[in-house]
Amino acid sequence: MFRTALRNVLAHKARLLMTVLAVTLGVAFVSGTLVFTDTLSKAMSNQSAKSYEGVAVSVTDYGRARGEDGQKQGDPGIGQQTLDKVKAVKGVDTVSGRVQGFAGVGDRSGKLIGSGWANAGANFAPVKDGKDPRYTFTEGSGPVKDDQIALDKDSATKGEYQVGDKVRVATNGPVREFTLTGVFTTEDGAVNAGGSLVLFDTKVAQELYLQPGFYRELSISAKAGTTADQILADVKPLLSKTAEAKTGAALAAEQAKDIERAMSGMSTGLLIFAGVSLFVGIFLIYNTFTMLVAQRTKELALLRAVGANRGQVKRSVLAEAGVVGLVSSVIGLACGIGLAVAMRSAMELFDAKIPAGSLIIAPATVLVALVIGVLVTMLAAWLPARRTAKIAPVAAMGSVHLPATMKSLVLRNIIGSVLAVIGIGVVLLGAGQKSDGRTTIAAGAFFLIIGLFVLLPMLSRPVIAAVRPLLEKVFGVSGKLAAQNAVRNPRRTAVTAASLTIGLTLVTAMSVIGITVGQAVDRLSTQNIKADYRVTMAGEGMNLDKSVLPALEKGKGVTAVSPKTMEIVRIGGDSRTVSGVNPAALDAVLNVKTTAGDLASLGQGKLMVSAKEAQKRGLSVGSTVDAQYDDGGKGKLQVGALFDGKDQLEDYVLDNKILAAHNESQYLPEVLVKVSGGTSAAGQQAVVDALGKNPAIKVSDKAAMRNEMAGMINTSLNIMYGLLGMALIIAVLGVINTLAMSVYERQQEIGMLRAVGLDRGRVKNMIRLEAVVISLFGAVLGIGVGVFLAWAGGRTIAGSVPGYELVIPFDRIGIFFLLAGLVGVLAAMWPARSAARLNMLTAIKTE
C-alpha cells in the first residue's frame, strides 16, 4: 500500500504541485520567522555581552526620587565624591563615569543624520592611556576640550565629515558648533538602530544632560584575582538609596532576556501570517485530495476487492499526504532560510544596522517546520481519506460521483447554525462590554467563522442563485451554465471560497476600524488644533529647551506661540498632571470650548478643569483647591473655567508662568505656533529660521501632524493588505484546483455541449464565470463578516478615541470585490484553456 501511495504521488505531480506550493508557503513563513528571530536574538545578545566585556560591576542612579509629599529628594545622579570612594575600594582597577542623552547631528545641508529617537550623546571617559574601552577610534582621538566632539563612523560618513571639520550639534537647546577630533566604531545600540552617537568632553556632557560633577552610570573593572561579586558587595554600601548596582554578567543576562522577549513579540506577529497561510492552505489541500481520491475511486475500490481493508486504504491516502507534506516542508524550510536572509537584508536597507553574526538554524526550527508541514497536510487529507475508505467496493465501481447523504448534510447544517449563532451571540456580548470585551469578541469571531465554514455549502445556493439572472442576461448560455456549475458541488465550492472568506474577513475588519480611527484622528487634529505648526524634538516625546519660546516669539510672521508643558501638581491631596499654556495665545492655537466660566480667567492665574473631571471631583467655577508644586511650594487655586476635555490638553490647565516659577527644568514636549497667512513654505521656513535651523527640532504642519498620528494605523493596514495578498495567492491555487476537478468530472458534458454548438470561446467564458462566481461568493461572505466584526470591535475602542463614528470604506470594499473577481479570472485561465481544447469525440466517450 505504501508503494501504491508513492506511485500515486508520482502519477499526479501536476495536481499535487498546488498542494506543495500552499504548504511550502506556510512552512516558509514559520521557518523564516524562527530563523530570523533566532539569528537576530543571538546577534544582539552577543553584542550586549560584548558591551559588558571588562565591566565587573555597573552602577546606575537616576536620582531624586519623589518622597511621600511629592517633592523630589536626593542628588540628580552619582556625585564625584561617590566615584572617588568607589575607586578606593579594594580590588577595583578602573572606574569610568558615564553621562548620556539626546544629541542630533546635522549634515552639511543641515538635515538631521539618522533616526531622531536613536540619536544619542555621551561623554568620552578615558581610563588608561587616554583610551575609553567602549570606543575604538579609527581616526583621531577623543574630545578633551569644551569645543570638541567625536562621531561614530557611520554618521561621519553620512555627513561627509573628516577630522578637523566643524560640525553643528544640537541637544535640546540652541545649535552649537564643535570641532571633530575623532571617528570611532562602537557596539552602542543607538548606532546599530540607525542613529548617531556624539561624544563630548565629560564636563560638557554633564552640563548638557545632568549637572556638573554628576554621572548617570559608573562602569567598574576589577583587578586580577578579584571577583565581580566581591566588588559588588563592597560598593553597595557607598551608594545612595536611588542607585542600583549589578554585575556586568547579570546585566548582560538581563539584556539577553529583554532581547528574547522583544524577539518573542516580533516572532508572534510574524507567525500569525504563517498560521493564516497554513489555515487557508488546509482548504486547498482538502480540495486537492478530494479531487485525487475521486479520480481514483474505482482504483481504490479494486484494491478493496482484492483484499485491502478500510484502514489500509485510508492509510494509503494519508501516506500519500505525508510524503507530499514532507517534500513541501523540506522545500519550505529552504525557502524560509532564504526569507530570513532577505528580511535581514531588508532591515539593513532601512538603516537598521544588524549586529554581525552567523545564521542560526536551530534543530527545533527544522523539527517544527517538518512536523507542521506533514501534520497540516495529513490533517487536511484525513477527511477525504476517511470518506473514500467508507465507500463499498461495489458502489465505488459503479459510480465515480457519490453525493453526500441527506442525513450528513442536515447534520452539517445544524452544527454550522449552532456554531454561527453562538459566535454571533458571543460577539454581541463582547461589544456590550466595551473596552473589556475584546477577548470575548475574538472568541466569538472564532466560533462564527468556523460555523460559517460549516454552513458555506448551504449558503452557496441562495447567494449564487441571486446573481444567476444577471449572468444569464449578460452572458447568455455561458452565464447560465456557469451559475449551475458553481452550485453543482456546493461542498467543493464552499471549501474553495473559504480561503478568500478568511482573508477578506480579516482585512475588511481591520480596514473599517483603521479608517474609522484614522478619520477620528484626522478630525481631532484639524478641528481641535488651530495652530499652523507644531514644534517638537526630532525624537518624539523629548524635551524642548525653554529657549525655543522667546526665539519663536521673535520669528518673522509669528502671531501666536503657546507651550504645552506637563507638570505633576498635587491638587486636593492627589497628584495630577497639569498642562501649562500661554493664556494669551491659547484661543489662537487650540479650539477650546468652555462649558462654564471664561477662558480669559487663565490669564488671571485661575485653574481650568475639564467638565468630566470637575463632575467627578465636585468642582465648579469659583471652587478653590489646594495645590503643591514640584519644588514644594504650596498655594490655593480657584477654578475659573470648565472646558470640554479633548486629547490636546490634560484635565487641569494653568498659565505656564505659574508652573515655570516652581520648576526651572520643565517638561516641554511641544510648542504650537500660529503665523500670519496660514501654512506655507515661507511660513514654515520662517519658523525653522527662528529656531536657528536646528537639525534636532522638527516643525510639522497640519498635514504632517495627521500623517504622524495615522502612521501606525497605515502600517497596520499595510500589514493586513500583505495578508490579503497571501490569501489571494492560495485562493488562486484553490480555484484552479476546483475548476480542474470540475472540468475533469464534466468531460463528457463539455464534449456534448461542443457537439451541439457551444464554441470554444463560450466554453472558456463558462469556466471563467464559474471561477468569478465562486470568488465573489467568498468575497461577499468575508466582507460581510468583516464589517460585523469591525462594528463590534469598534465599540470596544470608541470610548478611548474621541469622535469615533463607524465609517464603512465603500471604495476599498469595491477594490476588494474587484480583486476577488480578478482572482477568479486568473485562476480560470488554465482550466478554461484545457476545457476548450478537449476533443469532442474523446470527451463524449469518457466515462
Side-chain angles (χ1 to χ4, degrees):
M1 295 302 291
F2 184 69
R3 287 198 299 271
T4 301
L6 289 178
R7 186 203 66 188
N8 288 329
V9 170
L10 296 174
H12 300 91
K13 293 187 288 291
R15 293 280 187 270
L16 291 170
L17 176 63
M18 297 169 197
T19 294
V20 170
L21 288 174
V23 178
T24 296
L25 184 62
V27 171
F29 269 104
V30 172
S31 56
T33 296
L34 295 176
V35 170
F36 174 71
T37 52
D38 285 348
T39 299
L40 192 57
S41 179
K42 183 65 175 177
M44 294 178 72
S45 295
N46 289 341
Q47 180 193 57
S48 175
K50 189 175 179 180
S51 67
Y52 285 104
E53 283 182 2
V55 177
V57 173
S58 177
V59 180
T60 55
D61 190 347
Y62 291 93
R64 288 186 176 168
R66 289 184 180 272
E68 293 182 0
D69 60 355
Q71 285 186 261
K72 289 183 178 179
Q73 301 173 342
D75 292 328
I78 304 170
Q80 184 66 42
Q81 288 183 346
T82 302
L83 186 149
D84 293 336
K85 289 179 183 179
V86 172
K87 270 186 180 180
V89 170
K90 184 180 179 181
V92 169
D93 186 20
T94 62
V95 181
S96 56
R98 304 288 177 180
V99 186
Q100 59 277 332
F102 170 80
V105 182
D107 59 20
R108 293 189 180 276
S109 65
K111 186 179 179 181
L112 182 69
I113 296 174
S115 306
W117 62 270
N119 291 330
N123 65 312
F124 175 66
V127 290
K128 286 184 178 180
D129 304 324
K131 295 182 180 180
D132 188 326
R134 287 195 178 185
Y135 312 107
T136 302
F137 280 80
T138 58
E139 298 178 45
S141 59
V144 293
K145 295 182 180 179
D146 292 356
D147 62 346
Q148 295 178 343
I149 62 163
L151 272 181
D152 69 275
K153 187 176 180 180
D154 288 346
S155 298
T157 301
K158 292 174 183 176
E160 300 180 352
Y161 290 121
Q162 296 179 347
V163 173
D165 287 348
K166 296 294 184 181
V167 181
R168 298 176 81 243
V169 180
T171 51
N172 64 341
V175 181
R176 292 175 59 182
E177 195 170 74
F178 295 86
T179 300
L180 183 65
T181 63
V183 176
F184 59 88
T185 59
T186 178
E187 296 296 329
D188 189 278
V191 176
N192 287 313
S196 62
L197 179 61
V198 182
L199 294 183
F200 301 95
D201 176 63
T202 295
K203 182 180 177 182
V204 175
Q206 288 176 331
E207 290 174 350
L208 287 171
Y209 300 127
L210 202 58
Q211 189 172 310
F214 285 91
Y215 302 90
R216 184 67 70 211
E217 177 188 352
L218 298 182
S219 294
I220 308 168
S221 65
K223 291 180 180 178
T226 306
T227 66
D229 290 333
Q230 287 175 333
I231 293 178
L232 180 64
D234 292 338
V235 165
K236 275 189 173 181
L238 306 176
L239 306 176
S240 68
K241 293 180 180 180
T242 55
E244 184 178 28
K246 293 183 180 180
T247 64
L251 286 172
E254 283 183 9
Q255 286 200 7
K257 289 182 180 179
D258 291 340
I259 291 168
E260 186 178 340
R261 282 193 291 268
M263 291 298 103
S264 175
M266 179 189 294
S267 177
T268 301
L270 293 173
L271 286 174
I272 289 174
F273 282 88
V276 171
S277 174
L278 288 168
F279 184 59
V280 173
I282 286 175
F283 298 99
L284 170 57
I285 299 165
Y286 170 83
N287 250 6
T288 300
F289 278 91
T290 298
M291 177 175 62
L292 291 175
V293 297
Q295 291 175 353
R296 304 203 311 270
T297 301
K298 288 188 176 181
E299 173 191 329
L300 294 173
L302 182 60
L303 289 173
R304 290 285 309 281
V306 298
N309 58 36
R310 289 184 177 182
Q312 286 177 310
V313 170
K314 184 164 67 174
R315 287 193 294 273
S316 173
V317 177
L318 291 177
E320 185 177 343
V323 171
V324 173
L326 183 61
V327 172
S328 305
S329 298
V330 172
I331 298 172
L333 178 61
C335 293
I337 295 171
L339 179 63
V341 174
M343 290 169 71
R344 182 170 178 169
S345 300
M347 287 189 70
E348 292 179 350
L349 288 176
F350 289 100
D351 285 337
K353 186 179 178 183
I354 307 300
S358 58
L359 202 65
I360 304 298
I361 306 173
T365 298
V366 177
L367 182 63
V368 167
L370 296 179
V371 169
I372 285 178
V374 173
L375 282 181
V376 166
T377 311
M378 293 182 70
L379 178 66
W382 179 80
L383 193 57
R386 179 176 177 273
R387 188 181 297 139
T388 301
K390 290 175 67 175
I391 300 175
V394 175
M397 288 182 179
S399 176
V400 173
H401 311 297
L402 298 168
T405 63
M406 182 60 67
K407 180 181 177 181
S408 67
L409 290 175
V410 171
L411 181 62
R412 176 179 182 138
N413 292 338
I414 291 173
I415 294 173
S417 299
V418 171
L419 288 173
V421 169
I422 290 174
I424 292 172
V426 174
V427 169
L428 292 175
L429 177 65
Q433 293 173 341
K434 302 297 176 67
S435 60
D436 297 327
R438 293 167 195 171
T439 303
T440 306
I441 290 175
F446 174 78
F447 283 106
L448 174 58
I449 291 174
I450 296 300
L452 187 65
F453 289 157
V454 177
L455 286 173
L456 278 176
M458 183 183 75
L459 295 173
S460 64
R461 291 184 180 276
V463 173
I464 294 175
V467 299
R468 180 175 172 178
L470 178 63
L471 291 174
E472 289 185 32
K473 185 176 181 180
V474 177
F475 299 101
V477 175
S478 297
K480 180 179 180 179
L481 292 172
Q484 291 176 341
N485 293 332
V487 294
R488 176 174 293 187
N489 192 327
R491 286 188 174 184
R492 191 185 306 141
T493 297
V495 173
T496 304
S499 56
L500 266 177
T501 300
I502 297 169
L504 284 172
T505 294
L506 295 173
V507 174
T508 301
M510 289 300 296
S511 292
V512 172
I513 291 178
I515 290 171
T516 300
V517 172
Q519 290 198 13
V521 168
D522 184 66
R523 287 193 296 270
L524 184 67
S525 61
T526 56
Q527 293 180 6
N528 295 344
I529 297 180
K530 294 181 181 180
D532 297 313
Y533 301 103
R534 183 178 67 177
V535 176
T536 60
M537 293 294 290
E540 196 67 35
M542 292 182 177
N543 192 21
L544 286 162
D545 188 79
K546 59 185 179 182
S547 62
V548 302
L549 294 172
L552 287 169
E553 289 170 350
K554 296 175 183 176
K556 183 180 178 181
V558 174
T559 58
V561 175
S562 177
K564 280 180 60 181
T565 63
M566 285 191 288
E567 291 290 333
I568 300 296
V569 179
R570 291 179 70 85
I571 294 178
D574 297 323
S575 293
R576 290 287 185 267
T577 303
V578 179
S579 291
V581 298
N582 177 4
L586 183 61
D587 190 49
V589 297
L590 283 179
N591 185 13
V592 181
K593 182 181 178 182
T594 56
T595 58
D598 189 359
L599 195 63
S601 64
L602 273 174
Q604 301 166 8
K606 295 182 180 180
L607 181 68
M608 185 167 71
V609 186
S610 71
K612 185 177 180 180
E613 178 71 7
Q615 183 179 10
K616 185 190 302 183
R617 295 176 65 92
L619 299 175
S620 60
V621 173
S623 298
T624 302
V625 295
D626 293 325
Q628 183 177 352
Y629 302 96
D630 188 79
D631 62 352
K634 298 180 180 180
K636 290 187 178 293
L637 292 172
Q638 185 179 22
V639 177
L642 304 182
F643 72 105
D644 185 9
K646 302 290 183 182
D647 277 359
Q648 297 298 331
L649 293 171
E650 300 295 331
D651 286 327
Y652 296 89
V653 185
L654 266 178
D655 185 339
N656 191 55
K657 290 179 181 178
I658 297 175
L659 296 175
H662 294 279
N663 187 356
E664 293 184 0
S665 56
Q666 280 190 302
Y667 176 52
L668 176 58
E670 64 181 285
V671 178
L672 298 176
V673 182
K674 187 79 173 176
V675 298
S676 58
T679 55
S680 65
Q684 187 163 4
Q685 188 60 48
V687 175
V688 171
D689 291 342
L691 295 166
K693 298 181 180 178
N694 191 322
I697 295 180
K698 181 168 59 176
V699 179
S700 307
D701 59 13
K702 283 189 177 181
M705 290 183 224
R706 284 195 295 266
N707 292 337
E708 288 171 17
M709 293 179 181
M712 187 178 296
I713 298 170
N714 292 333
T715 299
S716 300
L717 287 179
N718 289 334
I719 291 173
M720 294 307 298
Y721 293 149
L723 182 60
L724 173 61
M726 184 173 61
L728 288 177
I729 292 172
I730 299 177
V732 168
L733 298 176
V735 177
I736 290 173
N737 253 7
T738 295
L739 295 179
M741 179 63 176
S742 181
V743 170
Y744 167 79
E745 290 179 348
R746 303 202 315 262
Q747 287 186 61
Q748 190 177 59
E749 175 188 319
I750 292 171
M752 290 294 294
L753 291 172
R754 289 290 314 284
V756 297
L758 196 68
D759 58 29
R760 289 185 174 181
R762 290 183 179 179
V763 170
K764 287 183 179 180
N765 280 342
M766 177 182 70
I767 303 299
R768 289 193 194 104
L769 290 172
E770 182 179 346
V772 171
V773 166
I774 293 173
S775 298
L776 291 179
F777 167 60
V780 167
L781 294 179
I783 290 172
V785 175
V787 171
F788 172 63
L789 294 179
W791 167 81
R795 293 285 300 273
T796 67
I797 64 174
S800 58
V801 180
Y804 184 96
E805 294 178 6
L806 186 68
V807 176
I808 299 178
F810 292 103
D811 53 343
R812 297 202 186 191
I813 288 176
I815 292 173
F816 296 159
F817 273 116
L818 289 175
L819 287 174
L822 182 62
V823 165
V825 172
L826 293 175
M829 291 177 66
W830 175 61
R833 184 169 176 268
S834 299
R837 294 180 64 184
L838 284 175
N839 183 284
M840 281 185 285
L841 296 178
T842 303
I844 291 172
K845 291 189 294 181
T846 300
E847 296 185 8

